[in-house]
Amino acid sequence: MSAASNTALGIRLDGVRAGYGDTVVLEGVSLTLPPHGAMAVLGRNGVGKTTLLATIMGHTTLHRGAIRLGESEIATLEPHRRARLGMGWVPQEREIFRSLTVEENLEVAARPGRWPPARIYEFFPSLAARRRHRGNELSGGEQQMLAIGRALVGSPAVLLMDEPLEGLAPVIVDAVLHGIERLRREDDLAILLVEQHTRLALAVTERAIVLDRGGIVHESDSRDLLDMPERLTALMGVAERRVRPAAWQAS
Ligand SMILES: Nc1ncnc2c1ncn2[C@@H]1O[C@H](COP(=O)(O)OP(=O)(O)OP(=O)(O)O)[C@@H](O)[C@H]1O
Ligand SMILES: [Mg+2]
């Protein structure tokens, strides 16, 4: 399948039950992310957010349910085949190669398509300035940009981002959020955004789900959830974080 045909796909999960071997983490998870859509995946620590993304990528044990990417049923495919069909993953632990340079990190992940490394450098100029530096010489923010860049050079149709703002200084949070906004404007991507910076995630998405103990306990427009602060607080409990760079303050 050519990279060009990877454009503008959505994903759909139906009745997904998944976990690690016999351990079931997700139960009865159904969701639809349309082409070009952006959905926030919220929830406290340990409720199954990463497991949801890992399941979509094929890194968990699927016990039941269907996972579609566009018209393709991908639930039985190996992770690398899902990636080739258009799934891109920015893992929570970033998982860049620390001993390779920025350039090398991008080269090993690159496929012909919409995102040659030159476009990544144009997109994240601070990475361009560091292209000959090794992964372990980068700041947390640069490592996060590189992790996003590594997913983009695969020309994904759907980008799964797992807490891209975690541990970043507010000014870098702003840069990464602007990157996500720009991706949405300029590229044919659908985005599933796991975040514990709840209000920031709601500000850059249209739809939101909240997970609790492996199931979806809330789904609505992101704007509606922002307008229900008490409900949001009840859903998120103590896990809600309060970093709100001024430019992204959702009112
Ligand atoms: N590799 C694994 N093997 C077995 N159980 C796991 C594994 N990874 C996670 N779990 C369990 O699955 C459940 C959900 O974990 P998961 O990492 O998906 O949560 P999360 O919502 O991403 O949490 P966080 O906000 O801390 O990132 C937890 O009970 C966790 O202990
Ligand atoms: Mg997680």
Side-chain angles (χ1 to χ4, degrees), residues 6-250:
N6 276 350
T7 56
L9 299 175
I11 54 173
R12 182 172 163 163
L13 275 61
D14 279 304
V16 164
R17 170 180 230 240
Y20 304 92
D22 290 339
T23 306
V24 171
V25 174
L26 300 176
E27 183 69 81
V29 172
S30 300
L31 65 86
T32 300
L33 174 70
H36 302 287
M39 178 180 276
V41 179
L42 309 175
R44 293 172 237 250
N45 289 115
V47 296
K49 303 181 299 294
T50 294
T51 304
L52 174 62
L53 300 194
T55 297
I56 296 170
M57 286 309 295
H59 294 295
T60 64
T61 310
L62 184 72
H63 294 281
R64 187 181 300 165
I67 305 174
R68 295 180 82 78
L69 171 65
E71 295 301 306
S72 310
E73 172 57 64
I74 62 169
T76 58
L77 301 182
E78 294 289 316
H80 71 274
R81 299 218 28 224
R82 301 187 198 202
R84 216 173 304 145
L85 286 174
M87 298 299 322
W89 189 24
V90 184
Q92 187 164 12
E93 309 301 334
R94 294 172 189 155
E95 294 178 23
I96 59 170
F97 293 110
R98 299 176 60 79
S99 62
L100 299 186
T101 63
V102 166
E103 230 165 20
E104 290 163 343
N105 263 282
L106 292 177
E107 273 163 20
V108 294
R111 290 194 301 136
R114 309 188 307 284
W115 285 93
R119 188 172 170 205
I120 305 292
Y121 295 135
E122 184 268 328
F123 201 78
F124 290 126
S126 51
L127 272 190
R130 308 280 273 162
R131 57 199 288 167
R132 298 197 205 293
H133 290 253
R134 293 183 201 285
N136 60 12
E137 299 169 327
L138 303 178
S139 70
E142 289 162 349
Q143 288 183 11
Q144 190 60 65
M145 291 175 201
L146 181 54
I148 296 170
R150 278 177 51 88
L152 289 175
V153 291
S155 290
V158 178
L159 193 59
L160 311 177
M161 307 182 89
D162 199 345
E163 301 204 30
L165 309 180
E166 189 180 17
L168 302 185
V171 56
I172 308 298
V173 165
D174 235 18
V176 172
L177 278 173
H178 274 111
I180 293 171
E181 276 277 290
R182 217 182 124 195
L183 276 179
R184 300 217 46 215
R185 271 200 316 275
E186 298 176 13
D187 207 76
D188 269 329
L189 271 173
I191 295 178
L192 208 52
L193 176 64
V194 168
E195 255 311 324
Q196 295 212 28
H197 293 91
T198 306
R199 287 162 203 281
L200 297 180
L202 291 171
V204 295
T205 53
E206 289 110 39
R207 293 288 287 177
I209 59 172
V210 181
L211 292 180
D212 195 14
R213 291 180 216 165
I216 295 175
V217 293
H218 175 93
E219 176 170 3
S220 70
D221 283 353
S222 301
R223 168 58 57 188
D224 292 344
L225 198 48
L226 276 173
D227 289 342
M228 293 187 282
E230 284 171 17
R231 173 98 171 113
L232 186 55
T233 302
L235 286 165
M236 297 300 299
V238 292
E240 190 188 344
R241 295 190 190 160
R242 302 211 168 265
V243 178
R244 295 186 216 172
W248 290 92
Q249 204 148 26

